[in-house]
Amino acid sequence: DVKVTQSSRYLVKRTGEKVFLECVQDMDHENMFWYRQDPGLGLRLIYFSYDVKMKEKGDIPEGYSVSREKKERFSLILESASTNQTSMYLCASSPLSTGGNSNQPQHFGDGTRLSIL
Amino acid sequence: ILNVEQSPQSLHVQEGDSTNFTCSFPSSNFYALHWYRWETAKSPEALFVMTLNGDEKKKGRISATLNTKEGYSYLYIKGSQPEDSATYLCALNTGFQKLVFGTGTRLLVSP
């Protein structure tokens, strides 16, 4: 089975801190994604990556950056954490799609509930 | 951004009841429609990926249909069980695996 592991289930940080959320997948997937989930809203895509050292902005990238130095690891970085970044963060991965029209589902981690005080 | 709507927002049924919920979207300009089940304290789990108008998929007691012309997908659960309690998410692949999610339908099945 595909395993997507997020480094922390719960995390509490202070405003202004630089925060790293780590995600590792063990199925050699090319695609990796970071989402956040807030009450009353659907999962929203922050950033995604098709390959090592590649990154693309999602729908809400402001205040975030990412790093993909190795294929299996995709890190989300909050450069200077703010209270409006308190949220549930989910990482996902999927195999490479030819032509972009993949029928492959995404495989998710258990999520990190981040609180910024 | 494509708007994906799910209804109802929440649903409470008794064990043994059959139920269904809806995912609606404004256009057929997408590559695939995904359904996920998200149980509390677990990760979202893929149920179905559907691509063609008229597609029907089934997995045990759960099935789904897709109508791209009228812009909706239905998810059906036959004979609901307490273990079916979860939030059911619908998402559209708008290209290169970029998913746009609905807000989900929260299902509670009481014994």
Side-chain angles (χ1 to χ4, degrees), chain A residues 45-89:
Chain A
L45 182 63
I46 304 171
Y47 265 97
F48 59 106
S49 169
Y50 297 129
D51 203 349
V52 176
K53 298 201 186 289
M54 287 184 65
K55 60 184 180 183
E56 298 284 342
K57 292 180 180 179
D59 298 319
I60 51 165
E62 296 79 17
Y64 302 94
S65 62
V66 290
S67 171
R68 191 148 180 220
E69 295 297 317
K70 293 184 178 181
K71 190 175 185 180
E72 67 270 19
R73 185 181 295 272
F74 192 35
S75 304
L76 180 70
I77 304 158
L78 284 65
E79 297 290 343
S80 177
S82 65
T83 54
N84 63 11
Q85 293 178 308
T86 291
S87 188
M88 166 73 90
Y89 290 87

Side-chain angles (χ1 to χ4, degrees), chain A residues 3-67:
Chain A
K3 184 72 175 173
V4 178
T5 303
Q6 294 184 228
S7 52
S8 308
R9 289 300 296 269
Y10 301 95
L11 204 54
V12 180
K13 295 291 182 181
R14 296 208 171 273
T15 303
E17 278 192 73
K18 190 168 186 175
V19 181
F20 293 85
L21 301 184
E22 306 287 350
C23 175
V24 176
Q25 50 94 5
D26 65 359
M27 282 301 290
D28 203 38
H29 285 170
E30 286 76 13
N31 301 329
M32 295 190 75
F33 308 85
W34 274 107
Y35 296 92
R36 63 178 281 176
Q37 199 267 331
D38 299 291
L41 299 175
L43 291 174
R44 293 181 292 167
L45 182 63
I46 304 171
Y47 265 97
F48 59 106
S49 169
Y50 297 129
D51 203 349
V52 176
K53 298 201 186 289
M54 287 184 65
K55 60 184 180 183
E56 298 284 342
K57 292 180 180 179
D59 298 319
I60 51 165
E62 296 79 17
Y64 302 94
S65 62
V66 290
S67 171

Side-chain angles (χ1 to χ4, degrees), chain B residues 1-2 15-16 25-27 33 35 41 46 57-58 65 76 83-85 93 95 104 106:
Chain B
I1 298 176
L2 195 62
E15 183 175 356
F25 39 89
S27 78
L33 184 142
W35 280 102
K57 301 264 185 176
K58 188 173 180 182
T65 61
Y76 301 91
E83 58 265 31
D84 295 328
S85 297
N93 177 0
R106 181 176 291 183

